[in-house]
Amino acid sequence: MLVVEQQGHVVAMLHIVEMQTSIGRAGYLYAIATAAEYRGRGYASQLLDKALRLMRERAYDVAMLIPANDAVKPFYERFGFVDRAFEVDFSEGVYLGTGDKQADLAMVATL
């Protein structure tokens, strides 16, 4: 879990969950969030930059995430994510999807 803290409070976060997928060792980015009053300050961008750097250092093949909605896809595209609509298989572990199997299609960035 990566966080941004301000005055002793977590104001932005994301989790990196390692997964084995049909396209290689993946870092699944989960719960990317910024507190409403702290949005627009670049905190999510900082966390994504750091997460991608860490995953490259750790020799992950790809990064993937399921966007909350279509409106945020352009934000992730700036970091190299492509809307491949990759179906994530959660059968081997904890379910980290949206609750809608039809919406559980990941964007993927090659590392």
Side-chain angles (χ1 to χ4, degrees), residues 11-23:
V11 299
M13 68 175 192
L14 66 72
H15 298 264
I16 303 171
V17 180
E18 183 176 333
M19 301 177 73
Q20 290 299 324
T21 71
S22 61
I23 55 176

Side-chain angles (χ1 to χ4, degrees), residues 19 28-31 65-68 88-90 93-106:
M19 301 177 73
Y28 177 73
L29 300 176
Y30 179 69
L65 56 84
I66 297 174
V88 182
D89 178 8
F90 294 112
V94 176
Y95 178 74
L96 300 172
T98 65
D100 177 358
K101 265 191 138 342
Q102 291 182 339
D104 286 352
L105 301 174

